[in-house]
């Protein structure tokens, strides 16, 4: 495996673990309420803007993954879509780059 693929994999793991730590810590302090976590994303204009920024990035990544999967028939790349929406773009994007860069 190339050094760049190791880097993509490391970033995908970091993008899964690091943000999830903060999400779980917040939820543990608020009775495991997903609603409280989502409400916290909209407490001010700054967080509201960040939510929209990440939402647009997630939609863009999803469309790119779908377009490339259709063209390249790299079905494994579809794993990046649930990773993006269940964990975040910080995991989904490097995961897709890792899967995309594998030898065919």
């Amino acid at each position: 495996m190339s050094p760049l693929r190791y880097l993509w994999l490391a970033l995908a793991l970091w993008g899964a673990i690091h943000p999830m730590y903060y999400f779980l810590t917040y939820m543990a302090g608020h009775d495991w309420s997903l609603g409280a976590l989502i409400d916290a994303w909209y407490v001010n204009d700054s967080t509201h803007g960040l939510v929209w920024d990440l939402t647009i990035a997630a939609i863009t990544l999803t469309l790119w993954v779908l377009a490339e999967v259709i063209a390249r028939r790299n079905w494994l790349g579809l794993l990046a879509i649930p990773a993006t929406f269940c964990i975040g773009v910080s995991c989904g994007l490097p995961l897709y780059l890792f899967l995309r860069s594998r030898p065919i």
Side-chain angles (χ1 to χ4, degrees), residues 16-34 36-38 40-41:
I17 295 167
H18 199 122
M20 195 57 62
Y21 168 79
Y22 290 101
F23 293 151
L24 294 177
T25 300
Y26 183 86
M27 288 179 66
H30 292 85
D31 297 324
W32 298 100
S33 171
L34 183 60
L37 179 65
I38 293 170
W41 295 344

Side-chain angles (χ1 to χ4, degrees), residues 38-99:
I38 293 170
D39 288 343
W41 295 344
Y42 296 99
V43 294
N44 59 43
D45 287 343
S46 176
T47 58
H48 198 94
L50 185 59
V51 166
W52 275 109
D53 179 61
L54 293 172
T55 300
I56 293 166
I59 291 168
T60 303
L61 175 59
T62 299
L63 293 174
W64 180 37
V65 168
L66 291 173
E68 286 214 338
V69 163
I70 291 168
R72 297 174 62 156
R73 305 283 190 239
N74 182 9
W75 305 111
L76 202 55
L78 291 172
L79 292 174
I81 295 173
T84 299
F85 286 98
C86 294
I87 301 171
V89 176
S90 63
C91 176
L93 177 58
L95 176 63
Y96 181 67
L97 293 173
F98 171 76
L99 296 171

